Amino acid sequence: MSPPTDFQALTPESVRAVLRTRKLGQTLHILEETPSTNTAALALAQKGAEDGTVVVAERQTAGRGRLGRRWFSPPGENLYCSVILRPTPAPDRIAEWLSWAPLLSAVATARAVQAVSGLHPLLKWPNDILVGHRKLGGVLCESNGSHAHGTFVVVGIGLNVNTKRENFPDDLREIATSLAAEAGHSFDRAALLAALLAELEATAESLLMGKPTTFVHVYTALCSTVGRRVRVNLAGGESVEGWADSIGMDGSLRIKKDGANTETMLEVRAGDVIHLR
Ligand code: BTN
């Protein structure tokens, strides 16, 4: 597959011209092709790359999604970006930071999309970015675990920017979308990347300063899962149906299972949610 004809390459110059962050993206690796920007960023982080280092690729040959899925990554059309964060919360708040980072990264992505395009994406728990019922983007966070010192997290963000509806593969055409497909025109990926990094920087700072009650509030305001009937395919293969009631203090999805006592909530920390009508 070759890049589109109206393709404008992402270059360090085009990104720096619009980048307004203090830290995120100040060290920026733009790769022509890589298996996965997350894999590349994890390797850099292991070797000591600094907080805020960003890896972007024009194309991924083995882009990874959540739950072992692949991520559609054609050349020159979209954003495939991984950010190394080295959080410094108090040791007793590292677990909280790690549990909220993926959810609030999705909030940052939705805000950046809104700022650049005027669209109003919503979130399907935990971190799918949707326009209507179609998926515009997703977040895959990977970390080296919760160490008192030296924790790092790679926030991997995939955003469908300029892929035309007809160019999505058959299995994605009905369930995925792009900014161009929604707005009817193409978008400048450098401007979008700069907006994304600015929102993510603000989010990473709020994660150090804020409280879980604030995170719950901020996330719930953008989450289209809460207040719906859902089916959740849990990690062990079990599947449950019920009412998505609320977000827990650790970012879990609290579900009132069909037939369960009104007081009993199932707290889901990992799984695949399907919105039911
Ligand atoms: C999801 O399943 O919704 C998460 C998708 C995350 C895709 C991005 S693209 C950049 C980074 N590199 C990867 O291999 N995955 C993430």
Side-chain angles (χ1 to χ4, degrees):
M1 209 184 229
S2 38
T5 44
D6 54 353
F7 161 76
Q8 284 202 307
L10 280 170
T11 62
E13 294 72 31
S14 67
V15 178
R16 284 213 178 93
V18 285
L19 192 63
R20 301 282 175 267
T21 55
R22 276 190 309 106
K23 206 182 262 180
L24 267 57
Q26 296 301 331
T27 302
L28 176 64
H29 301 270
I30 300 184
L31 311 175
E32 193 55 39
E33 176 181 304
T34 189
S36 152
T37 56
N38 263 33
T39 305
L42 284 165
L44 286 172
Q46 300 282 8
K47 287 194 219 138
E50 64 182 345
D51 185 29
T53 299
V54 171
V55 180
V56 179
E58 286 289 11
R59 170 175 191 242
Q60 298 184 119
T61 53
R64 292 187 277 116
R66 285 178 64 241
L67 309 170
R69 296 184 180 132
R70 75 188 166 91
W71 187 257
F72 174 61
S73 309
E77 298 183 357
N78 300 325
L79 275 183
Y80 321 113
C81 145
S82 298
V83 182
I84 298 172
L85 296 179
R86 295 189 180 276
T88 52
D92 62 340
R93 292 195 68 195
I94 289 177
E96 175 191 314
W97 197 101
L98 289 171
S99 68
W100 277 103
L103 283 77
L104 293 189
S105 297
V107 169
T109 307
R111 285 177 173 166
V113 166
Q114 183 172 346
V116 169
S117 70
L119 294 167
H120 292 271
L122 294 175
L123 307 178
K124 178 161 80 79
W125 187 92
N127 40 31
D128 282 358
I129 295 108
L130 304 185
V131 175
H133 65 278
R134 290 188 160 107
K135 184 157 164 170
L136 180 74
V139 176
L140 177 67
C141 281
E142 298 180 290
S143 85
N144 63 342
S146 116
H147 295 276
H149 298 288
T151 297
F152 65 75
V153 177
V154 168
V155 179
I157 298 171
L159 204 51
N160 300 325
V161 183
N162 289 326
T163 298
K164 297 198 169 86
R165 177 96 61 223
E166 62 270 25
N167 291 341
F168 279 105
D170 291 349
D171 59 330
L172 295 180
R173 196 164 301 127
E174 286 309 311
I175 58 172
T177 192
S178 68
L179 288 178
E182 295 298 326
H185 59 87
S186 59
F187 285 84
D188 175 355
R189 290 177 304 148
L192 195 56
L193 177 61
L196 185 56
L197 295 178
E199 290 290 352
L200 204 56
E201 186 162 282
T203 300
E205 274 163 24
S206 77
L207 266 165
L208 292 178
M209 320 285 277
K211 298 193 185 76
T213 46
T214 313
F215 304 155
V216 169
H217 185 72
V218 164
Y219 182 83
T220 304
L222 276 178
C223 179
S224 62
T225 303
V226 170
R228 264 182 194 267
R229 278 190 53 73
V230 292
R231 177 165 53 248
V232 188
N233 299 324
L234 299 168
E238 195 199 339
S239 161
V240 295
E241 283 194 21
W243 184 258
D245 176 83
S246 52
I247 301 297
M249 286 296 160
D250 58 353
S252 55
L253 182 64
R254 302 179 76 242
I255 293 177
K256 184 184 163 301
K257 269 168 73 172
D258 287 352
N261 177 312
T262 36
E263 305 298 312
T264 317
M265 292 288 171
L266 175 70
E267 301 207 335
V268 178
R269 291 190 177 74
D272 190 25
V273 170
I274 293 132
H275 287 170
L276 303 175
R277 304 228 168 237

